[in-house]
């Protein structure tokens, strides 16, 4: 430790720290613009000039390393005059448009100008003008004349998002921040540039000119999208969500959120919202009151039970639902005598599991790993904030390796990749296990040949200290998911690593904790939406066809049901298969709890009142349970349900386990046929992002294309811009074709979760491709 004197006080800081770090520790504020605790030092705004004894001139606090016995004054005449001079220069070219600036009221420049600026300017020349840029539907660069060249946005792209989408061109007063070649900003983390911009140069395009910051009330919430459980501040005006920004939590999301967390709120105010219960009568949708709708549902469930038995009733719930909703739905179905409930709609397998699958380590630890092996994940789009943490680890020297059907760009250096067809994943992972076994002198779980790539990954995992094996969404949904988990567990045990699932949805862990999945006697989602359709189906917060592992089979199964009840905030969800539409509240209009990938239970309150006749899902299920005469549904609050569902929260970690229910077994590939690998595009993952207008205009929301390996591309004689007919399960769709040289030879990538590909079959399985 080094001791310095800061404004007359002794401060101890670690060696290598700067004066700014010492000031932070001492609670002393030094004005700054370019400095940000999560970004590298640029020292180009000069606002943080301080007086250092024996230094000939004021020094930038952010870039001046501390030395033993250093004496620093941040409030002396010399320091203040230097800071005031810098502020005068910064304001020379800054436009005088505070009254109409979207940043007004939360602008760092505005705040510091009050303390360090002058009441009049000595500058009477023409101010410079920077023309606006068009960079996509999320970020507005309409007023780049306000830019003070702090380069926070540039450094964020390079260091956090992993892609330098913005840069600074020209010199002196001609300098400007731009995308250089005029492209759009397409990073899945791009909205964070808005937060870190200290002036009004980068603003939120969807929020622009819709409210003033002092008109907004701020309420805490939790993201309903991926398994990070990002903490949010939801800003509200006139009972409407106007903006979403991050709430800093170092252990979860640091100070960042993904763009779907930030801009998904647009769906909450959209025209597709369901405002009242509806029944289908004579093929026409009719608006009814709640008592009529719930009586219809209760009578229908009782009729199906009487005619076909309790096992004819099934329930499917999205893991984007709250713990409270999932607990009551599971309790309702089981009280009726059925075990048919599942949240794993995209899982091809049907194994019952008593263990609660989780990350296997803390989220924060991902940033400090030495070795990470990621299996079956489109990491950057599936888990933007986990990818960001692994990117930080890679920047510090961590070796990141992967097994998938292709090498998609994670925007970080990769030590090794294995590209194998999905049917060969178990064999490829067994090869890594065999290489580990050979090095350790133990028996391998499966006897297979060791490939050069597998040997490289094994060597990586056998070195280093902090290690993790991470199974992605595709590995969890894989037909041989249990074999993959068993092999991953074996490798992790041998190399001293943690092993766990990244988790597909906001509440994937919570759904398991409340047992919203079938027991031994129950049917899985794959069975209910496949070969064993039920007579009555309850759909909670899900669009079953778009969310299913096999949309073609799901549509057929739901079409054969006597009664399908859709509990959703949206009128167009399940419209073609449902008989009853019940408007339940999205996360912003209900209280509830999400349990994130690391097993952290995070509760939140509704930030606005439910829209029109919308009701919180747990209240709807509570009333339905009472109408069916089921005991134990007399809850008065969501807190009571949470207490029953999760019990003692301090005991949650002990309930998490990644024990596999099957032994490791390598299987042969599919032979000569082509097989499908299906990613779910980042803005097609759930009902909210599918209806967020700005997100649906981004590059990531472009219509799906069929990506083909080199051999197939050449075999079909395709050129850029060509289309192919993709056939699966007797149905076919025509899609634009794209060459992906990283795809495994027998694999075709066709996205799922999108209306354009909803006619096709399973996310994993045989697929036919021909020139259109």
């Amino acid at each position: 430790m080094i001791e310095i004197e800061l404004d007359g006080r002794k401060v101890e800081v670690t060696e290598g720290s700067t004066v700014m770090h010492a000031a932070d520790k001492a609670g002393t504020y030094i004005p700054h613009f370019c400095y940000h605790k999560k970004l590298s030092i640029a020292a180009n705004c000069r606002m943080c000039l301080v007086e250092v004894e024996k230094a000939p001139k004021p020094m930038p606090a952010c870039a001046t390393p501390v030395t033993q016995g250093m004496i620093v004054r941040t409030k002396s005449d010399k320091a203040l005059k230097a800071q005031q001079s810098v502020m005068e220069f910064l304001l020379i070219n800054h436009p005088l448009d505070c009254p109409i600036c979207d940043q007004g009221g939360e602008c760092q420049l505005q705040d510091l100008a009050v303390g360090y600026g002058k009441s009049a300017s000595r500058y009477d020349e023409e101010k410079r003008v920077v023309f606006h840029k068009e960079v996509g539907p999320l970020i507005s660069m309409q007023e780049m004349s306000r830019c003070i060249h702090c380069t926070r946005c540039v450094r964020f792209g390079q260091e956090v998002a992993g892609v330098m989408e913005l840069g600074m061109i020209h010199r002196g007063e001609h300098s400007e921040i731009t995308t250089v070649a005029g492209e759009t900003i397409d990073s899945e983390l791009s909205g964070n540039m808005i937060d870190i911009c200290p002036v009004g140069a980068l603003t939120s395009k969807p929020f622009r000119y819709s409210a003033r910051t002092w008109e907004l009330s701020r309420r805490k919430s939790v993201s309903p999208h991926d398994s990070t459980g990002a903490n949010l501040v939801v800003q509200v005006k006139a009972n409407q969500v106007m903006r979403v920004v991050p709430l800093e939590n170092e252990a979860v999301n640091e100070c960042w959120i993904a763009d779907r967390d930030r801009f998904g709120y647009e769906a909450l105010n959209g025209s597709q919202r369901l405002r009242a219960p509806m029944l289908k009568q004579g093929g026409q949708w009719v608006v009814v009151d709640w008592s009529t709708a719930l009586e219809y549902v209760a009578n229908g469930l009782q009729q199906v039970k009487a005619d076909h038995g309790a096992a004819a009733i099934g329930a499917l719930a999205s893991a984007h639902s709250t713990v409270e909703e999932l607990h009551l739905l599971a309790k309702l179905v089981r009280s009726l005598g059925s075990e048919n409930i599942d949240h794993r709609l995209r899982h091809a397998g049907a194994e019952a599991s008593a263990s609660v699958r989780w990350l296997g380590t803390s989220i924060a630890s991902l940033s400090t790993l030495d070795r990470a092996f990621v299996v079956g994940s489109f990491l950057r789009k599936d888990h933007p904030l986990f990818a960001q943490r692994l990117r930080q680890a890679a920047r510090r020297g961590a070796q990141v390796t992967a097994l998938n059907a292709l090498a998609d760009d994670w925007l970080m250096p990769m030590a090794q990749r294995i590209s194998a067809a999905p049917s060969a994943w178990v064999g490829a992972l067994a090869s890594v296990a065999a290489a580990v076994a050979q090095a350790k002198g133990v028996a391998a779980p499966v006897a297979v040949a060791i490939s050069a790539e597998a040997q490289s990954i094994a060597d990586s995992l056998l070195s280093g200290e902090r290690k993790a094996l991470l199974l992605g969404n595709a590995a969890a949904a894989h037909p041989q998911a249990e074999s993959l988990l068993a092999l991953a567990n074996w490798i992790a045990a041998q190399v001293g690593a943690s092993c766990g699932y990244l988790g597909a949805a906001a509440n994937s862990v919570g759904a398991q904790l409340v047992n919203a999945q079938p027991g031994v006697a129950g049917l899985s989602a794959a069975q209910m939406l496949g070969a064993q359709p039920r007579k009555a189906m309850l759909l909670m917060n899900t669009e079953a066809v778009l969310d299913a592992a096999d949309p073609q089979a799901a549509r057929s199964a739901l079409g054969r049901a006597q009664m399908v009840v859709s509990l959703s905030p949206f009128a167009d969800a399940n419209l073609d298969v449902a008989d009853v539409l019940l408007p339940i509240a999205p996360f912003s209009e209900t209280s509830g709890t999400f349990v994130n990938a690391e097993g952290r239970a995070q509760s939140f309150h509704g930030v606005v009142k439910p829209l029109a006749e919308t009701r919180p899902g747990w209240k709807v299920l509570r009333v339905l349970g009472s109408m069916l005469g089921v005991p134990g549904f007399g809850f008065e609050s969501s807190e009571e349900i949470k207490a029953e569902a999760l019990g003692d929260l301090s005991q949650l970690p002990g309930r998490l386990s990644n024990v596999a229910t099957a032994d490791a077994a390598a299987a042969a590939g599919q032979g000569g046929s082509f097989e499908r690998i299906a990613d779910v595009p980042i803005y097609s993952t759930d009902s909210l992002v599918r209806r967020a207008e700005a997100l649906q205009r981004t590059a990531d929301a472009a219509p799906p294309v069929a990506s083909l390996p080199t051999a197939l591309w050449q075999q079909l004689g395709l050129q850029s811009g060509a289309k192919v007919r993709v056939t699966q399960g007797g149905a076919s769709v025509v899609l634009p074709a794209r060459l992906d040289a990283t795809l495994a030879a027998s694999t075709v990538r066709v996205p799922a979760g999108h209306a354009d590909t909803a006619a096709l079959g399973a996310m994993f399985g045989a697929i036919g491709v021909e020139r259109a």
Side-chain angles (χ1 to χ4, degrees):
M1 299 291 281
I2 289 176
E3 186 178 81
I4 71 167
E5 183 183 303
L6 185 80
D7 292 337
R9 293 169 54 199
K10 301 291 185 185
V11 182
E12 274 197 353
V13 289
T14 55
E15 193 172 351
S17 298
T18 65
V19 172
M20 186 70 85
H21 295 139
D24 285 344
K25 186 172 182 182
T28 299
Y29 180 72
I30 298 175
H32 60 273
F33 294 112
C34 69
Y35 171 77
H36 190 281
K37 63 183 178 181
K38 294 290 182 182
L39 303 176
S40 62
I41 301 299
N44 53 9
C45 77
R46 317 308 280 184
M47 191 64 211
C48 64
L49 292 176
V50 293
E51 182 184 356
V52 177
E53 194 165 281
K54 296 182 182 175
K57 60 184 179 180
M59 305 291 284
C62 68
T64 303
V66 293
T67 56
Q68 182 64 38
M70 176 186 272
I71 298 174
V72 179
R73 301 182 186 92
T74 68
K75 302 287 189 290
S76 66
D77 282 347
K78 188 174 182 180
L80 288 174
K81 281 178 181 174
Q83 292 161 2
Q84 287 164 355
S85 297
V86 169
M87 177 58 72
E88 185 175 19
F89 277 112
L90 284 174
L91 294 177
I92 275 178
N93 276 306
H94 199 78
L96 301 175
D97 61 353
C98 289
I100 59 105
C101 178
D102 236 25
Q103 196 89 341
E106 52 187 6
C107 173
Q108 215 172 322
L109 182 66
Q110 200 175 53
D111 293 343
L112 292 180
V114 172
Y116 299 89
K118 296 183 177 178
S119 58
S121 173
R122 293 184 287 170
Y123 181 79
D124 56 10
E125 308 297 322
E126 288 185 5
K127 287 181 179 278
R128 79 184 201 129
V129 174
V130 181
F131 290 108
H132 67 267
K133 322 288 192 296
E134 178 53 54
V135 292
L138 304 181
I139 298 177
S140 170
M141 294 180 75
Q142 290 290 315
E143 283 90 15
M144 288 307 291
S145 295
R146 298 172 185 160
C147 179
I148 61 169
H149 307 130
C150 68
T151 68
R152 279 185 179 184
C153 55
V154 178
R155 285 174 286 144
F156 172 83
Q158 289 176 289
E159 298 163 19
V160 181
V163 54
M164 186 176 171
E165 293 181 295
L166 289 175
M168 189 156 74
I169 60 171
H170 306 315
R171 300 183 68 181
E173 73 162 8
H174 302 294
S175 301
E176 55 182 286
I177 301 290
T178 179
T179 54
V180 183
E183 303 100 336
T184 54
I185 295 175
D186 298 322
S187 164
E188 60 282 354
L189 299 172
S190 65
N192 293 293
M193 294 180 184
I194 299 166
D195 291 336
I196 62 176
C197 180
V199 296
L202 303 180
T203 53
S204 167
K205 195 172 275 189
F207 172 71
R208 194 171 153 79
Y209 296 144
S210 58
R212 284 301 200 178
T213 180
W214 53 85
E215 299 174 314
L216 302 170
S217 55
R218 290 157 176 77
R219 292 153 193 180
K220 296 178 183 178
S221 193
V222 178
S223 167
H225 301 298
D226 61 36
S227 59
T228 310
N231 290 199
L232 310 176
V233 174
V234 181
Q235 301 184 348
V236 174
K237 177 186 175 184
N239 204 46
Q240 194 171 20
V241 175
M242 304 301 290
R243 183 166 63 170
V244 174
V245 295
L247 175 64
E248 187 170 345
N249 185 337
E250 277 298 312
V252 180
N253 56 299
E254 300 172 270
C255 55
W256 315 121
I257 54 174
D259 286 353
R260 63 180 166 194
D261 304 326
R262 183 183 303 274
F263 298 108
Y265 75 87
E266 282 191 295
L268 305 172
N269 310 323
S271 59
Q272 299 103 325
R273 285 294 300 273
L274 179 61
R275 293 170 177 268
M278 300 181 79
L279 295 179
K280 189 184 280 183
Q281 296 179 347
Q284 300 294 316
W285 285 104
V286 180
V287 175
V288 296
D289 58 34
W290 270 106
S291 57
T292 303
L294 290 176
E295 279 174 18
Y296 182 94
V297 174
N299 292 338
L301 291 172
Q302 288 170 330
Q303 190 68 47
V304 167
K305 182 178 178 180
D307 294 348
H308 306 283
I313 297 170
L316 298 171
S318 162
H320 298 283
S321 307
T322 64
V323 159
E324 293 77 3
E325 291 165 344
L326 292 164
H327 174 67
L328 287 191
L329 183 66
K331 187 174 182 178
L332 179 70
V333 171
R334 291 195 167 96
S335 297
L336 291 170
S338 172
E339 276 288 329
N340 305 326
I341 176 168
D342 207 352
H343 70 277
R344 305 165 301 172
L345 274 77
R346 291 200 174 103
H347 287 210
E351 299 92 348
S353 173
S355 62
V356 176
R357 309 293 168 70
W358 68 298
L359 188 61
T361 183
S362 69
I363 290 173
S365 71
L366 297 180
S367 303
T368 61
L369 290 174
D370 298 320
R371 304 288 182 266
F373 181 25
V374 185
V375 179
S377 177
F378 296 88
L379 181 69
R380 195 179 134 206
K381 303 300 181 182
D382 288 349
H383 302 95
L385 293 174
F386 289 171
Q388 184 273 132
R389 284 194 179 269
L390 287 178
R391 197 172 293 126
Q392 302 313 310
R395 283 173 60 84
R396 296 187 184 103
Q399 292 179 11
V400 181
T401 53
L403 163 60
N404 202 346
L406 67 158
D408 54 330
D409 188 2
W410 292 356
L411 302 177
M412 67 181 87
M414 300 295 294
Q416 184 57 266
R417 287 182 185 268
I418 299 177
S419 288
S423 61
W425 284 2
V426 174
L429 198 55
S431 184
V432 176
V436 170
Q438 188 179 75
K440 300 277 287 186
V442 297
V446 182
V448 293
I450 300 172
S451 68
E453 294 91 343
Q455 184 66 58
S456 175
I457 291 174
D459 291 343
S460 172
L461 291 173
L462 286 162
S463 61
E465 293 181 6
R466 298 178 294 275
K467 316 170 202 179
L469 269 79
L470 302 167
L471 298 165
N473 296 356
H478 195 276
Q480 295 168 280
E482 288 300 306
S483 292
L484 289 172
L485 177 60
L487 283 165
N489 275 330
W490 188 91
I491 295 169
Q494 294 296 321
V495 302
S498 65
C499 175
Y501 283 100
L502 291 166
N507 210 15
S508 293
V509 174
Q512 298 172 79
L513 286 168
V514 301
N515 206 22
Q517 54 196 33
V520 177
L523 299 178
S524 69
Q527 293 167 319
M528 286 187 273
L529 293 177
Q532 302 178 61
R534 301 295 89 192
K535 293 293 182 183
M537 290 292 288
L538 299 170
L539 307 178
M540 165 72 77
N541 260 326
T542 180
E543 297 173 84
V545 173
L546 294 177
D547 293 338
D550 187 336
Q552 190 183 93
R555 192 182 298 278
S556 172
L558 292 170
R560 284 180 276 168
Q562 269 181 227
M563 181 178 74
V564 177
V565 182
S566 173
L567 296 94
S568 171
F570 301 105
D572 55 347
N574 307 306
L575 199 61
D576 53 342
V577 294
D579 302 291
V580 188
L581 302 178
L582 301 179
I584 63 167
F587 82 105
S588 58
E589 297 169 19
T590 182
S591 55
T593 305
F594 293 138
V595 184
N596 71 1
E598 68 177 6
R600 181 187 295 259
Q602 300 186 108
S603 295
F604 54 91
H605 296 288
V607 297
V608 293
K609 294 176 184 174
L611 177 71
E613 290 298 305
T614 298
R615 297 290 180 268
W618 67 266
K619 289 188 176 181
V620 174
L621 292 168
R622 178 190 65 182
V623 174
L624 189 56
S626 299
M627 293 174 75
L628 287 165
V630 176
F633 272 75
F635 299 102
E636 292 297 321
S637 68
S638 62
E639 283 79 9
E640 289 180 28
I641 307 170
K642 174 186 164 187
E644 180 180 283
L646 297 179
D648 183 357
L649 294 182
S650 67
Q651 302 301 311
L652 280 191
R655 296 170 62 188
L656 306 176
S657 167
N658 289 315
V659 176
T661 57
D663 293 329
Q670 292 193 184
S673 64
F674 287 97
E675 55 185 291
R676 180 182 180 186
I677 177 71
D679 60 311
V680 180
I682 186 170
Y683 302 135
S684 297
T685 50
D686 62 69
S687 299
L688 284 174
V689 294
R690 288 184 191 122
R691 293 169 178 81
E693 288 185 20
L695 293 179
Q696 291 305 317
R697 295 198 301 272
T698 61
D700 277 323
V705 301
S707 300
L708 312 182
T710 305
L712 180 57
W713 182 270
Q714 293 171 346
Q715 179 187 323
L716 296 176
L718 300 175
Q719 300 293 325
S720 179
K723 293 189 175 184
V724 291
R725 182 176 299 280
V726 178
T727 307
Q728 200 182 18
S732 64
V733 297
V734 175
L735 297 172
R738 180 169 60 200
L739 172 64
D740 185 346
T742 70
L743 268 166
S746 61
T747 311
V748 178
R749 177 181 180 178
V750 180
H754 196 284
D756 289 3
T757 56
L760 296 175
M763 292 171 69
F764 296 94
I767 193 168
V769 183
E770 60 187 16
R771 190 168 183 160

